[in-house]
Amino acid sequence: MMETNKKIRSKKLSTKVDMTAMVSVSFLLIIFFMVATELRKPKIMDLSLPDKYYEYKGKIICHMDTGNRVITVLLDDNNKIITYSGIYGLSDQLPKKMDYGRTGIRKELINQQKAILEHSTALGKPKNGAIVIIKPSKKSNFRNLVDILDEMAIAKIDTYAIVSDFSPEESKLLASN
């Protein structure tokens, strides 16, 4: 028998590594950290407080030297809006019943904003516009709230708040109209 001196060679493996999966994972991680960083940023809202305040019937009431900037909008059922300026009961203006649209609440808000800005500009504070308090009643629908927020944007009123509590006087005012 003939003996052969063959060496048994091992099979050489490829040194190339498939990086497709690694690239996919790295892009997913990059996207995750970008989104997580964006969501982690604090969301803040500007808060402007008046310089002076006083107490009335056990409650702290804000008083502005620039004139009365506060407009309250009460929303009720059947698309009913009642608006008044200042503090109810302390203002010399009577509440007004309004409708939605160009000739209703929009016209009133634009006129009030214009008058308040003119008054503020005369006092050297040109950016002090109207402050609107929106109070939807339990009987008002979501569409009314969306409509009044649209009116805020149209009238260019930047400072407004949605408040859910009614004073007893405001509840009586809604019931009487």
Side-chain angles (χ1 to χ4, degrees), residues 77-90:
D77 61 344
N78 298 326
N79 299 330
K80 188 168 39 172
I81 302 173
I82 298 174
T83 182
Y84 61 89
S85 296
I87 301 166
Y88 185 65
L90 294 180

Side-chain angles (χ1 to χ4, degrees), residues 58-126:
K59 293 184 180 180
I60 294 177
I61 306 295
C62 299
H63 174 72
M64 320 284 180
D65 288 333
T66 60
N68 204 347
R69 297 170 44 202
V70 179
I71 303 167
T72 304
V73 177
L74 306 174
L75 307 177
D76 204 11
D77 61 344
N78 298 326
N79 299 330
K80 188 168 39 172
I81 302 173
I82 298 174
T83 182
Y84 61 89
S85 296
I87 301 166
Y88 185 65
L90 294 180
S91 177
D92 56 349
Q93 295 180 354
L94 294 174
K96 300 174 187 175
K97 186 176 177 182
M98 313 220 124
D99 294 321
Y100 288 94
R102 185 180 324 151
T103 59
I105 189 70
R106 183 180 308 164
K107 183 178 179 182
E108 179 71 18
L109 288 173
I110 290 172
N111 290 341
Q112 290 271 1
Q113 174 77 334
K114 184 179 175 184
I116 290 170
L117 283 172
E118 285 174 0
H119 185 71
S120 297
T121 304
L123 293 173
K125 298 180 181 179

Side-chain angles (χ1 to χ4, degrees), residues 135-146:
K135 293 187 175 186
S137 71
K138 292 179 181 176
K139 297 178 185 177
S140 68
N141 56 33
F142 186 71
R143 171 134 180 111
N144 291 350
L145 183 60
V146 171

Side-chain angles (χ1 to χ4, degrees), residues 136-159:
S137 71
K138 292 179 181 176
K139 297 178 185 177
S140 68
N141 56 33
F142 186 71
R143 171 134 180 111
N144 291 350
L145 183 60
V146 171
D147 288 344
I148 200 68
L149 292 176
D150 288 341
E151 297 296 342
M152 294 295 124
I154 293 169
K156 294 183 175 86
I157 296 176
D158 297 328
T159 309

